[in-house]
């Protein structure tokens, strides 16, 4: 996903976003962190309808709103989820 600093949008206006949107959604960086995602209306509609090109395009929206995604990934216990999150956090610490 391409990124753009919020200051660039402030400086150049919507034209800065228009150029980048041709290649897909854009992460807006504010205070050195991704804060927002800007996408085309058509991209949003595809996301809302669940028309994703591949598993790697999946988002939180899919897990919340799509029963098929929940069936494909059976429910886990709170303990399983907590353990997975702990492993993920540990991996982040190791990378830093």
């Amino acid at each position: 996903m391409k990124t753009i600093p919020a200051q660039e949008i402030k400086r150049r206006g919507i034209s800065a976003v228009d150029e980048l949107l041709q290649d897909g959604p854009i992460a807006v960086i504010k205070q050195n962190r991704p804060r927002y995602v800007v996408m085309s209306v058509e991209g949003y509609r595809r996301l809302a309808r669940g028309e994703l090109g591949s598993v790697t395009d999946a988002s939180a929206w899919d897990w919340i709103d799509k029963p098929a995604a929940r069936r494909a990934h059976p429910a886990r216990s709170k303990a399983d989820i907590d353990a997975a999150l702990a492993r993920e956090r540990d991996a982040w610490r190791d990378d830093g």
Side-chain angles (χ1 to χ4, degrees), residues 6 9 23 30 41 56 66 72 78 85 87 92-93 95:
I9 297 171
D23 296 322
K30 185 174 181 182
V41 171
T56 59
K66 306 293 181 238
K78 181 181 182 313
L85 287 172
R87 286 190 303 273
W92 293 340
R93 286 187 198 110
D95 289 343

Side-chain angles (χ1 to χ4, degrees), residues 36-87:
Y36 314 100
V37 174
V38 178
M39 63 190 318
S40 68
V41 171
E42 182 53 36
Y44 172 78
R45 287 179 181 149
R46 288 184 61 228
L47 178 66
R49 288 191 305 256
E51 297 174 7
L52 303 173
S54 70
V55 174
T56 59
D57 292 334
S59 69
W61 181 274
D62 298 304
W63 298 105
I64 294 167
D65 193 48
K66 306 293 181 238
R70 289 192 295 272
R71 283 193 303 275
H73 300 278
R76 298 182 291 167
S77 70
K78 181 181 182 313
D80 290 341
I81 293 169
D82 288 342
L85 287 172
R87 286 190 303 273

